[in-house]
Amino acid sequence: MIVNETRDIEAAHAQGKTAVIWNSQTATVLDGDLKKMALLKDMGIKSMILAYNDIFRTGSGQLAAYNGRDIGLTQWGKSVIDEMVRFGILLDLSHTGSKTANDAMDYMDENYPGVPYVYTHSVPAGLYANEPNATAKGCYRAIPDDEALRAAKSGGYISPTFTEWMMDGVWPEDISPKQAADMIDYYVQLVGVDHVGIATDDMFSTELVVQFATANASMYDDGGYMIDAFNKGATGNGELAKILAAITDDLWARGYSNEDLAKIYGGNKMRVHAQVWEGKPPERFLQEYPERLRMRQEFQNLFHSR
């Protein structure tokens, strides 16, 4: 089921379907035409990233920044953000170089105060900074603490991705439930439980990623970091589903309540999505949400869909 508003997500749950929320990882999908933003929204794109890896017309991705080529947010990038806000498409800063990301946050704070922005799938750099085997520059896909704090201050959320090769200095074959819980807990301790979600960057197969990265070497000019991480044993594929139950057990053991987990496992995202997509103030959404959950449970009890 393609999602147009938050109630579509609830309807998908009640009907035993999958709710699909499209994200574009660059603004190139616009093909240089800002008028296409309205069309993209109607097609189901609900969030957009300004730049992926390299330098784009909007600004720089994380890999370009890693190589010292972060040009910052461009005038075109500002125009893209204007249209995203206008049409209720969420600004996602994952994959974005730090200068470009901070410029975008400055632009949002100055021109659209109160409109949240997010990191939908980003590893916390601070969690791995002191690992004995950490690389000098760290993983270029990780974000520094100050960026996570800014996103939370805007009212947004930060979702770690449980992807093995991004765990700088650790590079496990398969991420353990404890290691995944460590990511969640790190962000909760940093920004608070109201601003953390979960994500996956499931690659399905490292073989396909290696083939793509090899064939597009200029796009993955990371000094061999990713392939080296695979060679060091990080061969897992970030498969969240197979360890989520065990992650839950670990977080319960750390003192997390069911209310905390309800926020992390979707409630925080629903609040932000309702605000950006539907213009619903967070306090109003929070007042309505318990009744919406009760009604959904009632429908599920009456009409068994699975």
Side-chain angles (χ1 to χ4, degrees):
M1 178 181 288
I2 301 298
V3 170
N4 288 301
E5 58 181 29
T6 52
R7 289 193 183 276
D8 292 332
I9 299 172
E10 295 168 338
H13 287 185
Q15 297 173 40
K17 297 181 179 180
T18 299
V20 177
I21 304 170
W22 295 114
N23 173 291
S24 177
Q25 292 209 144
T26 72
T28 55
V29 68
L30 293 168
D31 196 26
D33 184 359
L34 292 173
K35 293 192 294 293
K36 289 183 179 178
M37 193 71 77
L39 176 62
L40 294 176
K41 181 183 180 180
D42 287 344
M43 291 172 62
I45 286 185
K46 292 292 178 281
S47 62
M48 184 179 288
I49 295 173
L50 297 173
Y52 173 85
N53 272 5
D54 210 343
I55 295 176
F56 289 81
R57 189 178 173 188
T58 49
S60 292
Q62 283 180 311
L63 186 50
Y66 182 77
N67 290 321
R69 299 183 296 125
D70 196 337
I71 65 173
L73 183 69
T74 65
Q75 190 59 47
W76 172 253
K78 293 176 182 178
S79 298
V80 169
I81 289 174
D82 290 338
E83 292 300 287
M84 290 173 65
V85 174
R86 179 185 176 195
F87 288 103
I89 294 176
L90 188 61
L91 175 60
D92 179 3
L93 294 168
S94 297
H95 292 299
T96 309
S98 285
K99 184 179 187 319
T100 299
N102 277 285
D103 285 352
M105 289 187 274
D106 288 342
Y107 188 74
M108 288 288 290
D109 293 345
E110 290 173 15
N111 295 277
Y112 306 106
V115 178
Y117 38 82
V118 302
Y119 284 85
T120 60
H121 56 294
S122 291
V123 173
L127 181 59
Y128 306 105
N130 297 318
E131 285 291 332
N133 296 318
T135 58
K137 296 169 68 174
C139 177
Y140 55 92
R141 287 286 177 84
I143 65 167
D145 289 353
D146 65 298
E147 292 182 30
L149 286 164
R150 290 196 70 177
K153 187 177 179 181
S154 80
Y157 61 81
I158 305 92
S159 297
T161 176
F162 309 112
T163 306
E164 290 84 355
W165 72 268
M166 300 179 193
M167 298 167 64
D168 192 63
V170 182
W171 305 298
E173 180 178 355
D174 280 297
I175 187 171
S176 70
K178 179 186 179 301
Q179 289 169 329
D182 284 343
M183 285 195 200
I184 294 171
D185 189 57
Y186 183 88
Y187 273 142
V188 170
Q189 298 306 317
L190 179 67
V191 303
V193 73
D194 292 322
H195 301 284
V196 178
I198 56 171
T200 181
D201 212 1
D202 194 335
M203 298 183 292
F204 303 104
S205 167
T206 55
E207 179 183 357
L208 297 176
V209 175
V210 171
Q211 290 176 2
F212 186 84
T214 302
N216 298 274
S218 61
M219 186 184 294
Y220 285 86
D221 183 18
D222 63 0
Y225 179 96
M226 182 173 66
I227 304 300
D228 192 38
F230 292 157
N231 291 336
K232 288 177 178 176
T235 55
N237 296 302
E239 299 147 316
L240 172 63
K242 70 182 182 182
I243 61 171
L244 186 56
I247 294 171
T248 304
D249 286 338
D250 189 292
L251 292 173
W252 273 333
R254 299 184 194 214
Y256 283 77
S257 66
N258 287 343
E259 182 182 14
D260 293 333
L261 296 184
K263 292 178 179 180
I264 295 167
Y265 288 0
N268 292 332
K269 291 185 177 183
M270 291 286 278
R271 181 193 74 243
V272 173
H273 292 166
Q275 183 179 354
V276 175
W277 300 347
E278 302 159 23
K280 184 168 291 187
E283 57 274 11
R284 180 179 160 195
F285 175 82
L286 292 173
Q287 288 173 353
E288 296 176 356
Y289 198 48
E291 177 63 13
R292 287 169 61 167
L293 291 176
R294 187 199 65 77
M295 290 175 61
R296 189 173 78 201
Q297 187 62 53
E298 183 178 327
F299 277 118
Q300 287 176 317
N301 292 338
L302 289 171
F303 306 103
H304 299 286
S305 58
R306 293 185 183 274

